[in-house]
Amino acid sequence: MKALVWHGKEDIRCDTVTDPEIQDPRDAIIKVTSCAICGSDLHLFHNYIPGMLPGDIMGHETMGEVVEVGSGVDGKLKKGDRIVVPFTIICGECDQCKRGNFSVCETTNRKRHLAEKAFGHSCAGLFGYTHLTGGYPGGQAEYLRVPFADATHIKVPASIPDEQLLFLSDIFPTGWQAAVQCDIEPTDTVAIWGCGPVGQMAIRSAVLLGANQVIAIDCLPERLSMAEAGGATTIDFESESVLERLKELTDGRGPEKCIDCVGMESHVMASLPDTLLDRAKQMVMVESDRPHVLREMIYVCRPGGIISVPGVYSGFSDMLPMGAFMNKGLTMRTGQTHVNRWTDDLLHRIEEGQIDPSFVITHTVPLSQGPEMYQVFRDKRDSCIKVVLRP
Amino acid sequence: MFHFSNIVRTRGDPKLVAGGPSLKRPEDQLARALGWFSIGLGVVELFAPRRVTETLGMEGHETLVRAFGVREIMAGITSLSVEKNAGLWARVGGDGLDAAALLSGLTPDNPKKGNIVLALLMVGGIAMLDYRAAQDTRPRRPTRDARRKLYPNRSGFPKGIESVRTAAKQIAAHAAGRT
Ligand SMILES: [Zn+2]
Ligand SMILES: [Zn+2]
């Protein structure tokens, strides 16, 4: 089959690889009908996250049709079922899964010793996302083996097209969880850093959850225009001061809730010296992440407020203002997304027509053009916000 | 066909059969080569500055050579990173500094001035490569004033944003009434 394969920094190729096989009775194989490139795939494209090996198949936003099931799938899935595959692989029966903490499932990371060394504990296995999280082949391919398939799936109806459902795999529940974690109240201002795909979903989620005001921060006109369309007031950080504008828009109080949809690769800009220093330290490998957004959020957030971090961080961040964080009594909530905790509700909202996540798609191309689209998406060429690939 | 990456694959996972084309361009390879060259030269300058000054008949300038070594290493690391273009332009600037320093040693009484001329020729050649690589690897991000598509109609709310806001208010009022 064809698959997008990681070969090193900025080197993803559309290779021919052997078809996946059932390895365990709980496996299923799907024929991929749609998959997407995620912002967090760019961290791998840039080789910022350790643990990728040449030959790894990319992709964790996938949906398709079940073509083969193992003997242990127990009637939960059958040939011909149409499913969206959550990016977190879950067993459904461990203590964490039972609590709904799916992204920290205790069973599914088959290389848990690596994660335990790096993080102290293992997290769930993830598709196409380094050997720290199991080294599972990803879904930017014609076929995908879904491990623990009896639990790791979202069944979807035939009546709704792929584009509206695909993002149940990651970015929609990720933006949603980020907003839910904020305990939004009707009087709240929610400020969202980053208007990439997750940021766009977080904006819609905050509106759906009844925030009084949603403020979105980015520097790209196309992304800001999409944010505004979703109900956000926008700040262009290249031409305006984020701190001043946020003060203005909240009568000096600061936003009660802040969401970081940027993560470890924050924009490097000469007028923000901390970002230059972070980048230099990152190059010589004394700091892994560039936490400019975290610093800014802690500084502007209203005392007693909540900071929610769906953005991906990989290792160590320097100079976080813990003094401000502690004295202002802030709460930080973060985590990979517990996808299946939210997807029943979100699927229902899509079916009801409350939301149509396909608004974010700007490019749909065949799988073989994937390698180029990584570059287009990274360089933000052609007003690219979200790329869907069709195998 | 044998592919090195296949030996680390977990049994049963897809294995590479035939590689597709890489989008790496010749200028990317050149940038990489220059990056490693920069680091190599930098290490020599940083740790064996005396050998450099002796070869050039410029004894006494070891501190300067060390500083140049640090500069080379930094530019090299940057040239190997995602921001390779910045690293390559730094190298072009560095080539100018190198040439200026070498010229200052090109005095009639320097017994090694032949070596300096050779070094100058080398710097000139490398500078041309640096300049070409820097030109060819310019970032392809659109500039700030480039024409863009805007998405003012993509709310994502099929029933309109006002209906979403009204529904959220009703839910909040309902919840407030219950408590
Ligand atoms: Zn993702
Ligand atoms: Zn589990």
Side-chain angles (χ1 to χ4, degrees), chain A residues 38-41 60-61 87 170-171:
Chain A
C38 178
S40 62
D41 287 332
H60 59 261
E61 301 184 354
F87 77 98
D170 177 0
I171 57 170

Side-chain angles (χ1 to χ4, degrees), chain A residues 151-167:
Chain A
T152 307
H153 69 263
I154 303 148
K155 263 195 210 168
V156 289
S159 55
I160 305 176
D162 275 22
E163 306 83 70
Q164 290 193 36
L165 299 168
L166 175 60
F167 304 133

Side-chain angles (χ1 to χ4, degrees), chain A residues 117-185:
Chain A
K117 277 221 176 72
F119 299 143
H121 292 87
S122 170
C123 312
L126 306 180
F127 289 98
Y129 219 80
T130 83
H131 290 262
L132 281 178
T133 50
Y136 289 101
Q140 288 166 10
E142 288 174 316
Y143 293 91
L144 174 70
R145 176 178 77 96
V146 182
F148 300 91
D150 52 324
T152 307
H153 69 263
I154 303 148
K155 263 195 210 168
V156 289
S159 55
I160 305 176
D162 275 22
E163 306 83 70
Q164 290 193 36
L165 299 168
L166 175 60
F167 304 133
L168 287 171
S169 58
D170 177 0
I171 57 170
F172 187 21
T174 296
W176 181 259
Q177 176 174 307
V180 170
Q181 284 183 155
C182 285
D183 298 341
I184 293 173
E185 288 177 49

Side-chain angles (χ1 to χ4, degrees), chain B residues 13-67:
Chain B
D13 280 356
K15 287 185 163 53
L16 206 56
V17 178
S22 167
L23 289 185
K24 290 254 174 212
R25 301 161 298 169
E27 49 268 40
D28 296 319
Q29 316 286 6
L30 177 61
R32 209 175 140 73
L34 288 167
W36 281 114
F37 168 78
S38 200
I39 290 173
L41 181 62
V43 166
V44 172
E45 289 180 331
L46 182 61
F47 295 105
R50 190 111 195 118
R51 293 190 69 159
V52 178
T53 53
E54 274 169 8
T55 315
L56 299 171
M58 293 175 71
E59 288 87 345
H61 290 88
E62 285 75 17
T63 314
L64 180 72
V65 172
R66 276 215 176 90

Side-chain angles (χ1 to χ4, degrees), chain B residues 2-178:
Chain B
F2 175 78
H3 288 282
F4 179 73
S5 67
N6 285 343
I7 40 182
V8 296
R9 291 295 117 210
T10 307
R11 225 166 55 92
D13 280 356
K15 287 185 163 53
L16 206 56
V17 178
S22 167
L23 289 185
K24 290 254 174 212
R25 301 161 298 169
E27 49 268 40
D28 296 319
Q29 316 286 6
L30 177 61
R32 209 175 140 73
L34 288 167
W36 281 114
F37 168 78
S38 200
I39 290 173
L41 181 62
V43 166
V44 172
E45 289 180 331
L46 182 61
F47 295 105
R50 190 111 195 118
R51 293 190 69 159
V52 178
T53 53
E54 274 169 8
T55 315
L56 299 171
M58 293 175 71
E59 288 87 345
H61 290 88
E62 285 75 17
T63 314
L64 180 72
V65 172
R66 276 215 176 90
F68 276 21
V70 172
R71 189 205 73 213
E72 289 280 0
I73 293 170
M74 300 291 280
I77 291 174
T78 314
S79 303
L80 293 174
S81 80
V82 176
E83 285 92 350
K84 50 179 162 297
N85 192 251
L88 291 163
W89 284 117
R91 281 196 44 78
V92 172
D95 293 333
L97 292 177
D98 284 346
L102 286 167
L103 280 171
S104 78
L106 199 58
T107 50
D109 57 334
N110 184 343
K112 302 272 177 69
K113 50 178 176 289
N115 284 350
I116 292 203
V117 172
L118 267 179
L120 272 168
L121 284 174
M122 238 178 72
V123 169
I126 296 275
M128 263 154 57
L129 287 178
D130 284 333
Y131 184 74
R132 246 195 66 196
Q135 284 286 354
D136 292 349
T137 57
R138 276 179 191 283
R140 292 158 82 190
R141 293 185 169 236
T143 52
R144 217 175 138 64
D145 46 2
R147 267 174 63 120
R148 292 160 193 274
K149 273 180 261 171
L150 297 180
Y151 304 108
N153 300 319
R154 297 209 184 191
S155 80
F157 300 120
K159 295 176 189 163
I161 193 161
E162 277 322 309
S163 95
V164 175
R165 287 206 168 113
T166 315
K169 278 202 187 102
Q170 279 165 357
I171 292 167
H174 186 73
R178 247 193 342 216

Side-chain angles (χ1 to χ4, degrees), chain A residues 26 89-98 101-108 124 148 151:
Chain A
R26 293 179 72 178
I89 303 169
I90 58 174
C91 73
E93 31 190 54
C94 71
D95 187 46
Q96 294 285 15
C97 280
K98 282 193 186 133
N101 294 332
F102 295 114
S103 78
V104 287
C105 168
E106 292 166 328
T107 329
T108 55
F148 300 91

